[in-house]
Amino acid sequence: FPKGKETPGSLLVLQYSEPVPTKVREFVPACIWGEGGPTAQHPEELFFSGEFLIVLSFPRGSQAREWVGERLRSKCKLPVPRLQTELQPLLKEAMDLYEKRDAKGGLALLRKNAAKIKEYSFGQYLLGEFAAASKDWPTAETAYARAVELHDKLVDPLPNGDPTLWAALDGESMALLFQNKNAESVPVLQRSSAIARQSMTEKQAAHSLFNLACAQARLKHFDEALAPLGESIDLDETQREAALKDGD
């Protein structure tokens, strides 16, 4: 860059031979921010997706950041979220309602802005969360599935990579199970279980595997249910007692 000109930002992409280790996921944020999060001085964005660790460091609102993000999505097929700057006021309003656990208000807000969030993965995810809290399972199913679709097609990847993707898949699977769409829930739960094994806590992996076992049991696929149930209990012993009490 010309002398005296501020560097617009930096990019770091690391590819591991296996999914990014849990220790790395814990160490890198602590190394950059300590106990806090992004600041004006340290605006880094971290993305963990499978074997990739991506670190973007650009000033807030930087056009260079979206230029880099677009090329990571289109050229490298990496799930870097869009900035969606124009939707920040709507997101703030939705998050305020989420923090207040006002599911009815959140559902109404996002339905009113359905056209704006049609291509916004995190908006669809929040719609799923509000609908699930309201026990509106058809809306939750559709919203979570749309969030996952936008992520997978790299139209608008979900923020924070695997953890948010896992949460969206978990929400979709629960919405399907509550509607007794058991066969449809199996591939969703298989995917959420695979992500949880690689990237989430043992408790979260046990949760996904337990629900997969429930879905298979409902379908009378008892052999297919036994393996994930056993793995779930190995990861989280409390699932043994849960299995004894669970009707499925």
Side-chain angles (χ1 to χ4, degrees), residues 53-152:
L53 162 60
I54 307 164
V55 184
L56 297 182
S57 182
F58 291 87
R60 292 177 182 175
S62 167
Q63 292 182 344
R65 186 273 184 207
E66 190 50 24
W67 186 91
V68 170
E70 176 58 36
R71 277 147 187 79
L72 287 172
R73 290 188 293 270
S74 62
K75 303 293 185 183
C76 305
K77 307 303 179 186
L78 292 175
V80 176
R82 298 179 184 278
L83 288 177
Q84 302 284 13
T85 306
E86 71 281 3
L87 292 177
Q88 289 308 304
L90 175 61
L91 176 61
K92 183 181 185 307
E93 189 175 353
M95 289 303 298
D96 287 343
L97 293 168
Y98 185 83
E99 293 295 328
K100 294 175 183 175
R101 299 190 179 184
D102 183 356
K104 183 178 179 181
L107 203 53
L109 173 68
L110 295 183
R111 279 176 169 163
K112 180 181 177 182
N113 290 277
K116 291 183 179 180
I117 66 169
K118 182 180 179 181
E119 304 293 314
Y120 183 27
S121 64
F122 193 64
Q124 293 293 331
Y125 170 76
L126 285 177
L127 177 58
E129 292 283 280
F130 288 131
S134 302
K135 301 189 186 306
D136 181 349
W137 302 118
T139 298
E141 175 195 347
T142 302
Y144 285 127
R146 178 61 175 162
V148 173
E149 179 186 23
L150 291 169
H151 177 89
D152 287 345

Side-chain angles (χ1 to χ4, degrees), residues 5-55:
K5 294 290 185 179
E6 181 184 359
T7 302
S10 61
L11 161 69
L12 171 68
V13 178
L14 295 177
Q15 183 176 13
Y16 290 76
S17 59
E18 57 184 18
V20 180
T22 301
K23 288 183 179 179
V24 174
R25 292 170 179 268
E26 294 172 349
F27 171 76
V28 173
C31 180
I32 295 175
W33 301 311
E35 295 182 357
T39 63
Q41 185 177 4
H42 282 284
E44 287 84 1
E45 299 173 84
L46 305 182
F47 308 108
F48 301 100
S49 180
E51 68 272 24
F52 286 98
L53 162 60
I54 307 164
V55 184

Side-chain angles (χ1 to χ4, degrees), residues 227-243:
L229 178 60
E231 188 179 352
S232 175
I233 292 170
D234 286 343
L235 291 170
D236 180 3
E237 182 63 26
T238 64
Q239 298 289 17
R240 184 186 302 277
E241 184 177 351

